[in-house]
Structure formats: C-alpha cells, structure tokens
Amino acid sequence: MRSARTWTRGTGAAAGALATALLLGLATAPTAPAAPAARPAPAGATVAATAPTAAAPAAPTADGTAAAATPAAVNGRLRVCGTKLCNQYGKPVQLRGMSTHGLQWYRQCVTSGSLDALATDWKADVLRVSMYVQEGGYETDPRKYTDLVHSVIEQATARGMYAIVDWHMLDPGDPHYNLSRAKTFFTEIAQRHRGKTNLLYEIANEPSGVSWPRIKSYAEQLIPVIRAQDPNTPVLVGTRAWSSFGVSEGANESEVVAAPVNASNIMYTFHFYASSHREAYLDTLSRAADRLPVFVTEFGTQNYAGEGADDFAMSQRYLDLMAAKKISWVNWNFSDDHRTGAVFKPGTCGAGGPWTGTAPLKPAGVWIRDRIRTPDDFPTG
C-alpha cells in the first residue's frame, strides 16, 4: 500500500478480547464451515516452538475416502524455474489468495473461524501475513509480533495454504532503514520454519523514494542471512516506487532486467490498484513477466489508497493477464476496515463473524471471493 495511506482504528472490548486470543496462539478449535470442507481443519496451534512441519495432507472424509488435497499438499515446496513459480513436479503454478491487514490493528480478523473460511469457503491457495514494521507494528515489540507471525504461519500451514511472510516496510521507504531488524526477524522465522514446504519470504513490501541499486543492495545483504537458515524457500523482493517496477516514479522494469539481484530462487513483486494504475502499469507487468519471475503480492480493485469506487473491469484485465502468464496474486485485504478495499463489512471481525458466504462481504469481497473460488490448475504430471 502507498505511504499516502494512513491506517487508524479504535478497538472495543470485544475486539481486544479476540486480539488477545489470537496472540496466545489461535488455539481455539476451528469452527466448522457451512459447506463440506474441501480442506482439513486443525485441532489447534500454538506459538510455542515445535519441530518443523510440512503442509497438512488431505484428511479422510466420513466414508473413508480422501478429501480434496490442499494446495500446499498438491504442489509441495515451490521453487522459481525461469520466469515462473513451479511446484514440486517442476510445473508452473498460479497461487491466488488474500493478504491480512496490519496485524497490529486487525489481528481480530485472523481467527480460527476466518481462516477456516478462507481455506474451505473461499478455497484460497495462499495467505499473506502482513507484519508492519513501523506504524505501531514490529518495532514496538519485536517479541510479541514475531510470535504472532509464528502463530499465523502455523494456522495457515494447518489448513494447507501457503503463507507469505510479509516484512511490511512502508515509511521510511528505504529498506536499509530496517535492515538490522529484518535480519533479526527473518533469522528467527527461517530457523523456526525451514522444514516447512509452504512458505515464501517477502523481504520489502513497498520501497519508495530510493533507487533500484539501493533496493538491490538491501536484498543482497538480507538474502544470505535467510539462506544461512533456510536454503530452499523462495524470496520475494520488492521493487522501486511502491513495488511498481519504478512506474510510479517514471521508470520501468528495464532497470531490474539490466541489474537483477545476485541470488537464486527469487521473484520480484508488483503491486497495483486498478482504479489508479492503468495501461502503463498493466503493460509493465506484462513485459516484466516475460523477462523476470514476478509475484503480485498486493492489489486492489480501488484507487491506490484502497478506497473509492471499485473498477472491476480494469481489475479483470489484470486478472486475465495474470492467469495467461501464470502470475500468482494476493488481494488486499482480509479485514473489516471501513475502506472499500477491505473485504468484510465493518464490525464483522469484532463480532467474531460470520465469515462464510457473501452476506458479511462488501462488493469487493464478493468479487474477489468469486475469483479465488474458481478451480485451480495445478499440474502434477
């Protein structure tokens, strides 16, 4: 999201109680979905250190047959092959899912019930775990927020979804400002979860006001720290000008093509908001995806502030392009913030749901849920 976006909210007693429950590990039993589950529900998870685990396999149904396999079980550990994201069979795949809002504000929207709905009702492949660094986030209490990220990773894993660990640096826009913090955070995350096969590490949400060489330098200092703990998980690198490949500052993808990050198994991120980001951004994404491995880790159907009218027609043009080129994507955002870009109606999270179906959703939520729910194409042959 752009630095122009200022996120503020108040929390009542109900929201505070739900936040406390989540911080303690989301250990309550998952709620049953309204429709038969296509993915297994966990018995519960905690933030305590445990042996590394792979993504959950499919659970048997009542008649003893295997349930539909989860995205993480089907595809296994992902890796970058050429310009694509490939599964354990070496086949290009497209992941589709949702990003949390900032966990320091909206962790009451990330509960057992809401994640059950995301996995089984929405049929999402991936959850982006958005950990703001500033704005009341990680820097205020690194232990608390690292444990919270651990907990949400375990919850996504238990439901067979992929999890993107999003180091949500935003303001200051120079990622070097938080390099020391990022090394500490990702060292622990990578060490704890290196045995999992369902993670991706997003190391810089939206750099801004800095050159591509400056961002590249940051990535080349941080990635070896991650690789020392976890040599296999793909790393997602933010790009210039709020992860627009520089378009928002008058550049384009050519500077990354000419000077890519000196590391393997990485992808570059691109963000767009369809009402604001028109042909120049769409064309840049199309060209970049032919030359570079690209993951759209954030987009919205509204303006760049995540508010205003939805432009579903322009959004569909982006989705059609991403489907054709197997570009994975994550929508912003899985919360009940008052802006149009948050999928739930205000008050949904504080009330503890309901989470399934379209009744609790804003128009953008209805639209994106419908597109996430369409069948995946995960080749295994």
Side-chain angles (χ1 to χ4, degrees):
M1 75 194 68
R2 292 298 183 80
S3 57
R5 203 176 309 170
T6 301
W7 301 100
T8 58
R9 77 184 309 273
T11 55
L18 284 167
T20 300
L22 179 63
L23 190 58
L24 290 174
L26 290 170
T28 56
T31 56
R39 295 176 184 164
T46 68
V47 297
T50 57
T53 57
T61 61
D63 63 3
T65 61
T70 67
V74 171
N75 293 298
R77 187 184 296 280
L78 303 173
R79 62 181 178 85
V80 179
C81 55
T83 60
K84 306 300 183 186
L85 184 63
C86 292
N87 64 14
Q88 63 184 333
Y89 304 100
K91 303 295 185 181
V93 296
Q94 182 195 40
L95 304 182
R96 298 169 297 173
M98 292 298 302
S99 176
T100 73
H101 203 319
L103 294 177
Q104 77 275 32
W105 297 314
Y106 289 97
R107 56 186 177 268
Q108 69 274 15
C109 298
V110 187
T111 69
S112 291
S114 70
L115 294 180
D116 283 348
L118 186 63
T120 62
D121 180 53
W122 290 54
K123 305 187 188 305
D125 306 318
V126 57
L127 173 69
R128 182 184 188 227
V129 185
S130 183
M131 179 72 272
Y132 276 68
V133 186
Q134 276 73 48
E135 301 185 60
Y138 176 87
E139 69 173 1
T140 67
D141 193 337
R143 180 73 270 142
K144 169 183 174 181
Y145 286 112
T146 303
D147 284 344
L148 183 54
V149 172
H150 285 317
S151 175
V152 180
I153 289 171
E154 296 294 351
Q155 289 288 295
T157 301
R159 289 159 174 80
M161 292 187 288
Y162 287 92
I164 298 172
V165 180
D166 166 30
W167 183 248
H168 205 89
M169 53 72 57
L170 185 62
D171 186 13
D174 184 351
H176 280 270
Y177 181 85
N178 288 302
L179 177 58
S180 178
R181 294 185 182 97
K183 288 180 176 179
T184 299
F185 174 77
F186 278 108
T187 293
E188 179 171 334
I189 293 293
Q191 185 178 54
R192 173 84 66 90
H193 302 286
R194 60 191 170 196
K196 290 183 171 64
T197 58
N198 65 313
L199 297 190
L200 303 97
Y201 303 134
E202 184 176 0
I203 61 173
N205 164 54
E206 288 185 350
S208 64
V210 292
S211 67
W212 170 244
R214 181 74 172 165
I215 301 166
K216 180 176 181 286
S217 168
Y218 164 84
E220 290 176 349
Q221 292 180 61
L222 180 56
I223 291 172
V225 173
I226 295 172
R227 290 291 181 240
Q229 303 299 327
D230 180 351
N232 298 313
T233 294
V235 172
L236 310 178
V237 180
T239 58
R240 182 178 163 196
W242 299 279
S243 287
S244 70
F245 280 113
V247 181
S248 292
E249 292 176 353
N252 59 42
E253 78 287 352
S254 62
E255 59 188 11
V256 182
V257 172
V261 171
N262 184 23
S264 61
N265 204 25
I266 66 167
M267 307 187 81
Y268 301 92
T269 67
F270 185 81
H271 294 178
F272 70 87
Y273 284 81
S275 184
S276 295
H277 301 143
R278 313 298 292 182
E279 302 296 333
Y281 292 81
L282 183 66
D283 291 346
T284 297
L285 175 59
S286 181
R287 292 193 309 270
D290 290 338
R291 305 288 301 278
L292 300 163
V294 179
F295 198 126
V296 173
T297 54
E298 186 180 309
F299 83 91
T301 58
Q302 314 77 26
N303 66 23
Y304 71 86
E307 56 191 3
D310 294 295
D311 189 336
F312 294 136
M314 188 66 185
S315 300
Q316 189 61 54
R317 291 180 63 193
Y318 274 104
L319 262 61
D320 290 344
L321 171 69
M322 292 189 288
K325 299 199 174 191
K326 292 275 190 181
I327 302 170
S328 296
W329 54 256
V330 174
N331 180 256
W332 182 267
N333 65 78
F334 198 63
S335 85
D336 64 352
D337 181 75
H338 69 276
R339 294 166 179 83
T340 50
V343 297
F344 293 112
K345 295 174 182 176
T348 300
C349 298
W355 306 112
T356 59
T358 59
L361 303 178
K362 297 174 189 166
V366 173
W367 189 87
I368 199 64
R369 172 181 175 271
D370 183 57
R371 280 145 185 83
I372 291 174
R373 281 170 57 87
T374 57
D376 290 310
D377 177 18
F378 294 146
T380 59

